[in-house]
Amino acid sequence: MIAIARILARRIFLLVPLMLGIVLFVFLVMRFSDIDPAAAFFQGTNPTEQQLHDFRAENGLLDPLPVRYFAFVGDLLQGDMGTSVLTKAPVLKTVSTALPLTMQLTFLGLSIAVVIALVLGITAAIYRDRLPDQLIRVVSLTGVAAPGFWLALLMIQYLAVKAGWFETGGYVNPADSFTGWLQSMTLPALALSLPVAAQLTRIVRTSVVEELDKDYVRTAIGSGLPPVVVVGRNVLRNALINPLTVLGLRVGYLLGGAVVIETIFALPGMGNEMINAVKNGDPAVVQGVVITTAVGFVVVNLVIDILYLLVNPRLRSAAR
């Protein structure tokens, strides 16, 4: 436990400059973009140059970049992400409303991807170079090549429009109807998760095959232990270390892919908010959504690191 705490403290310490770098990058991108908060604020009207100048002066947009950056960081540390120039609502309120849906979609997609990858990857490894392995290889390669947005459109066309099994879009709160929530989230989660499941399937298959070829597996099976027990108790624990590492990176793909999937299925999540903010020229919402997504990605990878430490005793011993 001491070794885990030491490594964890080191990772958390490294997160500080990482997060400051992310905030700096988002800040600079938004400041050098074509989005003008003053123009967005007076959208639909015909403001004078003096009105635009007064708005920029009141909101610190004329201050030097270093001053604006440190003011921005100071506001973030106090939980203030700014105010939308269009809705006049705090960005934190917008993010807190949209974030739960994006988290639901991401983790539902992640759960589906993990289950599919484990089932197909382990099956392919056990029946390697035989018909099940060949079929799973074709399916996984097809899944890797298929973009999530294309899968989403196919699912809407065949499973929603033609079959009528699902709605074409929209969101149902699970507090109102769990069945309705599941129906509204199934297609988006599948479209988001299938490319990730296909990638993880190949990694799980390779890791399990490498583990099955080791001497301790042959010794355990030769001593009379059932293969199911050997695979379930020993092989999987060791074979899933590499897929677990890759899984943290795939979470970033899921968070990024949620932007497109939410737009296709008209889900009021973070992605939909960011697309609307970009179209309407609302920089505070854009940078709030991007920073929140980046923080979520970093936190999830920290959790993956902790799980990696728990399943990899060699790393714990190396840290002592």
Side-chain angles (χ1 to χ4, degrees):
M1 292 301 296
I2 296 178
I4 294 178
R6 187 182 299 119
I7 297 176
L8 184 59
R10 190 183 308 146
R11 299 285 171 86
I12 294 175
F13 178 76
L14 292 175
L15 289 183
V16 176
L18 175 62
M19 292 310 306
L20 288 176
I22 291 173
V23 171
L24 176 61
F25 176 77
V26 174
F27 174 83
L28 292 177
V29 168
M30 294 308 302
R31 294 307 174 275
F32 288 105
S33 70
D34 294 331
I35 299 177
D36 185 2
F41 180 80
F42 291 103
Q43 197 173 61
T45 63
N46 190 21
T48 63
E49 286 297 325
Q50 185 61 42
Q51 288 177 309
L52 293 174
H53 181 275
D54 292 342
F55 177 86
R56 295 185 181 111
E58 289 174 4
N59 291 273
L61 300 178
L62 301 179
D63 295 337
L65 276 180
V67 175
R68 294 163 63 186
Y69 172 69
F70 285 110
F72 179 57
V73 172
D75 290 339
L76 284 179
L77 292 177
Q78 299 176 41
D80 182 6
M81 292 184 172
T83 303
S84 169
V85 295
L86 296 177
T87 64
K88 311 301 185 294
V91 175
L92 184 61
K93 181 179 179 180
T94 302
V95 169
S96 61
T97 301
L99 182 60
L101 188 147
T102 300
M103 298 302 292
Q104 292 170 27
L105 177 60
T106 300
F107 285 104
L108 184 59
L110 182 64
S111 301
I112 294 173
V114 169
V115 171
I116 293 175
L118 287 177
V119 172
L120 295 184
I122 294 171
T123 303
I126 293 176
Y127 295 96
R128 61 176 142 170
D129 298 328
R130 285 181 277 177
L131 182 60
D133 184 24
Q134 300 298 334
L135 291 175
I136 292 173
R137 181 176 302 173
V138 171
V139 171
S140 62
L141 290 177
T142 303
V144 170
F149 70 88
W150 181 71
L151 292 174
L153 296 175
L154 286 182
M155 290 177 183
I156 291 175
Q157 177 67 25
Y158 291 102
L159 299 181
V161 176
K162 289 190 175 181
W165 296 343
F166 301 94
E167 298 294 331
T168 57
Y171 174 71
V172 177
N173 195 307
D176 299 330
S177 171
F178 180 78
T179 304
W181 172 82
L182 195 60
Q183 189 180 41
S184 67
M185 296 294 284
T186 298
L187 289 188
L190 281 173
L192 189 63
S193 66
L194 289 181
V196 175
Q199 297 170 15
L200 287 176
T201 296
R202 304 305 306 158
I203 297 171
V204 170
R205 189 257 184 202
T206 301
S207 297
V208 174
V209 165
E210 290 177 354
E211 207 65 28
L212 288 173
D213 287 337
K214 292 185 177 178
D215 292 336
Y216 80 89
V217 176
R218 289 191 289 267
T219 302
I221 294 176
S223 64
L225 286 175
V228 175
V229 175
V230 176
V231 172
R233 182 180 299 174
N234 303 105
V235 172
L236 284 183
R237 179 181 176 86
N238 297 324
L240 294 182
I241 293 177
N242 290 333
L244 187 62
T245 306
V246 177
L247 185 62
L249 301 177
R250 296 282 73 82
V251 171
Y253 169 85
L254 291 172
L255 287 171
V259 174
V260 178
I261 299 300
E262 287 175 1
T263 303
I264 293 175
F265 287 94
L267 299 175
M270 298 278 281
N272 197 44
E273 290 289 345
M274 185 168 70
I275 293 297
N276 291 332
V278 171
K279 290 192 300 184
N280 297 322
D282 198 342
V285 175
V286 174
Q287 64 190 16
V289 170
V290 172
I291 289 174
T292 303
T293 304
V295 170
F297 175 67
V298 170
V299 170
V300 169
N301 275 271
L302 179 62
V303 174
I304 295 294
D305 286 343
I306 296 173
L307 295 176
Y308 187 71
L309 290 172
L310 294 176
V311 300
N312 191 352
R314 289 174 296 182
L315 191 60
R316 295 199 301 269
S317 61
R320 291 173 182 170

